[in-house]
Amino acid sequence: MKRHVFLAMTLVSLAACQSPAAPTSAARSQSFSVQALAENDIQIQGCTRTLSRAGATDTIFAEDGVDQGAKGFIRIDDQLITVGLTANAGDEQHTTRNFADANHAVEIVESLTTGASHEESDSVEESGALAITYRGATQTIQVEGGVAC
């Protein structure tokens, strides 16, 4: 009997000395970095919506602003990603546009409020948020910018 108790105590002691298991990949926090687009990243002709982080000047998302077939560009973890418009809703004051890449590894929800209009430069100011989902992780970034033609 003493032998069984000793063996059980030894096994418990060994288990207590082991380091805890590392979290599984599903439990790990996934993060990503959204970088500024270079001028040659933006492959758009005509009217262009460009958005920067609120208070910054570097464009992080650009899209062609049309209601159907729009394409957009974003740089995540140093990779240029092209996305296409998947849904579009709103009115003259508020718009929500959804974009995704071909295999939906990147999804972007663009929620914007229309600001001042500048007829002399054929442009409109906008502000709002981009909710960017990349490989299951989501970041929401406050943005400002607008459409210029």
Side-chain angles (χ1 to χ4, degrees):
M1 175 80 162
K2 286 184 180 181
R3 239 181 176 173
H4 292 303
V5 171
F6 177 75
L7 184 58
M9 288 178 58
T10 303
L11 290 173
V12 169
S13 296
L14 286 173
C17 292
Q18 291 182 1
S19 57
T24 64
S25 61
R28 287 187 191 130
S29 173
Q30 296 179 347
S31 65
F32 58 91
S33 175
V34 177
Q35 290 94 22
L37 291 167
E39 198 169 307
N40 62 347
D41 288 343
I42 303 169
Q43 305 291 318
I44 298 172
Q45 295 180 5
C47 296
T48 304
R49 175 175 284 123
T50 56
L51 300 170
S52 303
R53 286 180 172 83
T57 58
D58 292 338
T59 299
I60 61 168
F61 185 62
E63 50 114 330
D64 54 10
V66 296
D67 291 338
Q68 294 181 357
K71 64 180 176 179
F73 301 93
I74 190 164
R75 187 172 285 282
I76 298 176
D77 291 344
D78 296 318
Q79 178 185 359
L80 179 63
I81 299 168
T82 302
V83 294
L85 183 67
T86 60
N88 184 18
D91 54 35
E92 289 188 21
Q93 291 300 312
H94 305 282
T95 60
T96 301
R97 294 164 58 87
N98 297 17
F99 293 83
D101 68 343
N103 53 5
H104 289 264
V106 177
E107 295 181 337
I108 300 169
V109 178
E110 176 189 84
S111 302
L112 300 174
T113 300
T114 303
S117 177
H118 305 281
E119 289 183 30
E120 70 282 356
S121 62
D122 199 12
S123 63
V124 177
E125 295 176 22
E126 296 172 309
S127 62
L130 290 178
I132 305 162
T133 301
Y134 179 66
R135 297 184 179 165
T138 301
Q139 291 182 26
T140 300
I141 301 172
Q142 298 303 307
V143 293
E144 58 191 17
V147 176
C149 295

